[in-house]
Amino acid sequence: MAFLERVKSVFGKGSQTELEGELRSIHSLFAFLGDIVVEKDLISPLLKDEKKIDGLHGLERDLVSVRTFFLFEDFIVENKPLIVKRVYSKEELREDIVKNIDIKSLPLACELLFLDEVEQSLYFYEIFLQHFFHAVDSHAGRKKAEQILGRDSSNAGIIIEHDELDYDEFNSRVKQNDRKELSAIISIFKNLYTAFYLEILDSEGEKNAKALASEVFRIVSDHYNYKIISKFLDVMPPGILESERLAFISHGELEETVNQRTQDVLKEKEKVDLIVQERTKELEDEKNKLSIVTENMFEGAKLLDSNMHLIFINRKCREILGLSNEENNEEVIEEAFGRKFENYAVEESFGKSDRGAPFVVPEIDVDGKIYKLSFITLLDEKGARANFLVWIEDITEVKQLDRRKSEFISVAAHQLRTPLSGLKWTLGMIASGDLGPLSPDQKAFLEKSYDSNERMIALVNDLLNANRLESQKFQYNFATADIQELFDSVLFDMHHEAMRRDITISLEPVAEKLPPVYVDVEKIRQVCQNLLENSIKYTMKGGFIKIHLSKEGEFVLISITDNGIGIPKDQYGSIFTRFFRGTNASKLETDGTGLGLFVVKNLIEKHGGKVWFESEVDRGTVFYFTLPIAK
Ligand code: ADP
């Protein structure tokens, strides 16, 4: 098709079939471009433009499609790394499109895009010249136009045919001369435009010439984007359209900057997106690890925020509360908790927990199971209450074993105590001569047997006491008591044994009278006895024991100091555990159950007091304990 006809078909109104054909080719081109661009989000704004094309006709549609293709082209070149299927340069893209799509079936406006820059510019310069020619033709008449063209352009090979300029010859000359440099083409056209303009200036005067030039500029700027307008301004003779040029440059620059900025922002966004994706994945991984642990734990966990609202609940906790695995409704969960552990309202229980010291309910029997409940207040770095954790352990099995063991010990100890008591009376009677006189040897042996039996009875009593302590069957009778008096009477009882071992015990005088304590006197008597017995037992002949009483805030502090064998450092952690006996202690004193201190600790803690010690091997030991002052 001759160039003129092609231009007509683009800028004139095409027939319905022509339009449909053009639309089809535009669509196939977009499909192709869409296919190589994988980033859907990025191309969708461009595809919106493509949709717009559907509703347009003729020139307008072509211009929109030209604009869209420019955008597309820029987009592909600038977003190379995002185009996953293939990486294109502008030239490669053109080549590929020309190879894959019948370029001749595209409307001119689109076709232009796939020409190289020189050819593309050539087309535009020719189209602009066409406008110039029409303007002269309609204002100054055909004659004038012919004159102008005839003088200079005929040399270049441009002729008028059917009211249009025909560039066929001109084009082939350009190609023949291999004038493919853009600067060379620009200079040809600059000369042509200048000749045209000078001619009009001569015959029409400056005002009209400028008006004509402005009219052509308006047509061009109405229809084309700034890239094409700048092509037009490149070939216009200098001096005319100066103000348009200035306005255009600032507009073009602005557009360029906006485009550049948009690209920068897109790239930044892309980077940020990538970082966000990575972080999200890391977090997801962490969360997965954590949820594997929490979901498979044997303990129930319920985590609340600082306003006591549910953040998290694990599978075991739901199971204990009798809820389905999917239950996440805070109210339902709260209700189930209230039903199960009715005496332990969550908020109130957390009120009883302190920083670092959870509120623990050691044993709750519900629905045939035994649970241990801990209300733990978690603090943030600043030490403020940040979260609340309810920790539920099912200790049914352990407790049942424990109870069975306690029952066994209790039965066994009671069974032992009866025959031992029988033996005590029989041995006592024989030894005291009630059943006939004894030789001194017989008497001595019998007394030894009597003592051994007494120790056995004491041991069985210790066992029973410890057992009762654990099974919480101990009754406490709290009352106010004078701790000094209590010590006086305990010392009176111990006096004999201390003398026997040549150990001096002294109760150090107090500065002022101590306030009464609030205790179960019998239990505290046992505590003092156990501690003093130990001091006597584990101190060598000639040693000393000092007792010191003082008031410390709400408590009375008691210390018992001896200069005995001391406790080896590696055994500090075991001293208060049941049946534990120190290595040095068991060598020195074979008798002993390792129950004394276990009982002491339990009893003191039941009173709200504390017990601890300081010791050095071969130098001595100090045991301290506190008891609450009566209010
Ligand atoms: P037992 O005295 O029957 O061994 P206890 O529970 O009373 O059991 O004491 C546990 C252990 O603590 C003792 O075996 C001993 O090693 C150590 N101990 C207790 N009191 C003293 C003390 N005053 N001096 C040194 N060691 C002590």
Side-chain angles (χ1 to χ4, degrees):
M1 205 189 329
F3 175 70
L4 280 180
E5 285 160 50
R6 291 223 303 258
V7 171
K8 218 196 238 162
S9 79
V10 171
F11 293 98
K13 299 249 177 218
S15 70
Q16 188 59 28
T17 21
E18 262 175 340
L19 281 181
E20 278 167 10
E22 280 172 15
L23 266 184
R24 261 200 304 282
S25 32
I26 291 175
H27 276 284
S28 67
L29 194 56
F30 270 110
F32 178 78
L33 290 175
D35 192 36
I36 57 174
V37 180
V38 174
E39 287 293 312
K40 289 243 162 39
D41 287 352
L42 289 177
I43 61 161
S44 53
L46 299 176
L47 291 173
K48 243 187 244 148
D49 254 358
E50 188 233 2
K51 285 230 175 67
K52 237 179 9 201
I53 297 172
D54 271 2
L56 303 173
H57 297 286
L59 178 61
E60 209 181 346
R61 185 198 47 220
D62 282 325
L63 293 170
V64 172
S65 56
V66 167
R67 256 201 305 278
T68 313
F69 278 103
F70 270 126
L71 285 176
F72 233 123
E73 193 184 51
D74 285 350
F75 165 78
I76 286 170
V77 176
E78 271 154 27
N79 290 289
K80 265 189 221 163
L82 289 176
I83 299 170
V84 182
K85 283 194 182 168
R86 262 176 282 174
V87 175
Y88 279 101
S89 70
K90 245 181 199 176
E91 279 62 40
E92 285 166 337
L93 177 67
R94 286 210 179 94
E95 260 173 47
D96 218 9
I97 287 174
V98 173
K99 238 190 285 159
N100 286 288
I101 290 165
D102 177 12
I103 199 152
K104 292 275 178 323
S105 71
L106 290 177
L108 177 69
C110 298
E111 197 185 314
L112 282 173
L113 287 168
F114 307 108
L115 301 175
D116 67 26
E117 206 191 351
V118 176
E119 255 183 280
Q120 206 181 60
S121 306
L122 187 65
Y123 267 136
F124 280 112
Y125 299 149
E126 289 172 355
I127 292 169
F128 303 148
L129 197 66
Q130 185 85 19
H131 289 303
F132 231 74
F133 163 73
H134 278 304
V136 175
D137 193 23
S138 55
H139 285 90
R142 170 62 52 93
K143 220 156 176 199
K144 193 99 222 152
E146 275 172 355
Q147 257 174 23
I148 297 166
L149 267 178
R151 202 178 305 156
D152 279 78
S153 323
S154 56
N155 298 337
I158 301 170
I159 53 167
I160 302 173
E161 219 179 288
H162 309 300
D163 295 345
E164 304 286 351
L165 297 183
D166 185 328
Y167 296 98
D168 280 357
E169 207 189 323
F170 173 81
N171 282 345
S172 65
R173 275 194 211 174
V174 172
K175 274 182 198 142
Q176 264 167 26
N177 294 345
D178 211 17
R179 286 244 205 73
K180 282 294 218 164
E181 290 272 316
L182 189 57
S183 56
I185 306 265
I186 289 178
S187 100
I188 296 176
F189 276 90
K190 230 179 191 156
N191 289 339
L192 269 170
Y193 278 89
T194 312
F196 237 120
Y197 186 73
L198 287 174
E199 201 50 53
I200 302 168
L201 197 68
D202 255 7
S203 55
E204 308 290 328
E206 192 182 348
K207 203 170 159 216
N208 288 342
K210 280 207 165 159
L212 266 179
S214 300
E215 191 183 326
V216 177
F217 178 77
R218 193 185 46 72
I219 295 170
V220 172
S221 59
D222 276 358
H223 289 161
Y224 298 104
N225 70 2
Y226 73 98
K227 281 189 185 170
I228 300 175
I229 300 169
S230 75
K231 279 188 198 301
F232 176 68
L233 290 171
D234 280 347
V235 291
M236 277 308 283
I240 56 170
L241 295 180
E242 233 16 67
S243 51
E244 286 86 347
R245 196 189 299 270
L246 282 175
F248 165 76
I249 286 170
S250 55
H251 172 76
E253 272 171 358
L254 188 69
E255 206 163 324
E256 193 79 68
T257 318
V258 168
N259 277 349
Q260 190 52 46
R261 279 255 154 269
T262 314
Q263 286 309 325
D264 288 351
V265 168
L266 278 179
K267 274 181 199 143
E268 273 311 304
K269 180 180 171 281
E270 198 183 295
K271 274 191 219 150
V272 172
D273 280 354
L274 263 179
I275 294 170
V276 169
Q277 256 175 28
E278 272 166 27
R279 296 293 294 135
T280 315
K281 176 145 188 347
E282 275 168 28
L283 284 176
E284 197 101 307
D285 286 352
E286 279 306 309
K287 196 177 148 241
N288 284 346
K289 276 190 231 157
L290 212 70
S291 71
I292 289 173
V293 176
T294 49
E295 286 307 285
N296 292 295
M297 256 166 22
F298 290 118
E299 292 83 10
K302 198 169 81 136
L303 187 67
L304 312 175
D305 68 12
S306 53
N307 296 321
M308 300 264 171
H309 286 303
L310 183 76
I311 301 176
F312 166 81
I313 175 167
N314 73 347
R315 191 182 49 80
K316 183 68 187 182
C317 190
R318 287 197 185 91
E319 187 189 307
I320 292 173
L321 300 181
L323 299 168
S324 79
N325 266 349
E326 289 75 40
E327 188 58 70
N328 265 323
N329 184 308
E330 191 175 341
E331 265 172 39
V332 175
I333 292 170
E334 217 29 70
E335 237 178 69
F337 187 88
R339 241 180 290 128
K340 188 92 181 176
F341 303 109
E342 52 188 359
N343 293 328
Y344 300 96
V346 175
E347 223 158 300
E348 201 180 297
S349 301
F350 275 115
K352 292 182 191 159
S353 81
D354 201 358
R355 44 188 64 218
F359 170 57
V360 179
V361 188
E363 248 180 277
I364 311 173
D365 275 42
V366 234
D367 308 332
K369 295 248 179 205
I370 307 165
Y371 298 103
K372 179 179 172 188
L373 264 187
S374 307
F375 296 87
I376 307 162
T377 304
L378 306 169
L379 308 177
D380 63 15
E381 312 89 70
K382 287 180 203 139
R385 287 163 181 242
N387 291 98
F388 298 97
L389 178 67
V390 184
W391 192 254
I392 315 171
E393 290 162 72
D394 181 346
I395 50 168
T396 314
E397 226 168 288
V398 180
K399 278 291 153 188
Q400 273 169 353
L401 266 179
D402 222 43
R403 282 179 193 176
R404 249 178 268 148
K405 182 211 68 191
S406 290
E407 276 161 23
F408 169 77
I409 291 178
S410 165
V411 170
H414 276 111
Q415 296 288 344
L416 280 172
R417 204 154 65 161
T418 324
L420 286 174
S421 304
L423 210 57
K424 175 185 165 102
W425 291 118
T426 320
L427 288 173
M429 273 165 70
I430 301 174
S432 60
D434 286 0
L435 300 177
L438 298 169
S439 72
D441 274 356
Q442 283 172 327
K443 193 169 162 76
F445 277 112
L446 267 174
E447 270 168 2
K448 274 204 172 124
S449 306
Y450 183 86
D451 285 348
S452 299
N453 191 54
E454 279 293 285
R455 285 205 298 276
M456 287 256 278
I457 291 173
L459 194 141
V460 168
N461 280 341
D462 272 2
L463 263 179
L464 277 173
N465 266 345
N467 212 36
R468 249 183 280 156
L469 256 187
E470 282 213 303
S471 52
Q472 301 190 329
K473 284 182 194 145
F474 244 27
Q475 287 293 317
Y476 284 80
N477 300 310
F478 285 96
T480 50
D482 184 326
I483 186 77
Q484 266 164 301
E485 262 173 36
L486 184 70
F487 259 100
D488 281 340
S489 87
V490 173
L491 284 182
F492 185 78
D493 292 346
M494 300 264 116
H495 189 64
H496 185 69
E497 182 63 14
M499 285 245 298
R500 205 172 64 82
R501 294 208 179 213
D502 192 16
I503 290 170
T504 32
I505 305 184
S506 54
L507 178 58
E508 294 184 348
V510 283
E512 53 181 309
K513 180 133 179 60
L514 290 168
V517 287
Y518 189 67
V519 295
D520 179 324
V521 178
E522 280 321 304
K523 306 278 185 314
I524 295 307
R525 178 189 295 278
Q526 193 180 349
V527 166
C528 301
Q529 264 170 358
N530 282 3
L531 290 173
L532 283 169
E533 266 169 15
N534 279 347
S535 295
I536 295 172
K537 257 197 310 197
Y538 302 122
T539 300
M540 302 309 208
K541 246 184 170 31
F544 65 80
I545 298 167
K546 284 181 191 151
I547 301 156
H548 183 82
L549 310 174
S550 61
K551 182 174 173 280
E552 293 290 326
E554 315 262 280
F555 293 87
V556 168
L557 171 70
I558 300 109
S559 70
I560 303 174
T561 310
D562 65 46
N563 63 344
I565 59 170
I567 299 169
K569 256 209 166 71
D570 62 343
Q571 294 168 16
Y572 279 10
S574 316
I575 287 300
F576 292 106
T577 53
R578 199 167 20 162
F579 300 123
F580 179 82
R581 302 204 64 215
T583 41
N584 56 344
S586 44
K587 255 188 236 145
L588 176 76
E589 181 66 60
T590 41
D591 270 354
T593 55
L595 288 170
L597 288 185
F598 168 77
V599 170
V600 164
K601 185 167 161 58
N602 264 281
L603 292 179
I604 289 177
E605 284 177 359
K606 282 278 166 13
H607 282 79
K610 284 195 178 114
V611 57
W612 69 100
F613 64 89
E614 285 162 8
S615 183
E616 206 176 318
V617 171
D618 294 336
R619 314 254 348 212
T621 307
V622 191
F623 269 89
Y624 300 91
F625 68 98
T626 57
L627 291 172
I629 290 171
K631 298 223 162 94

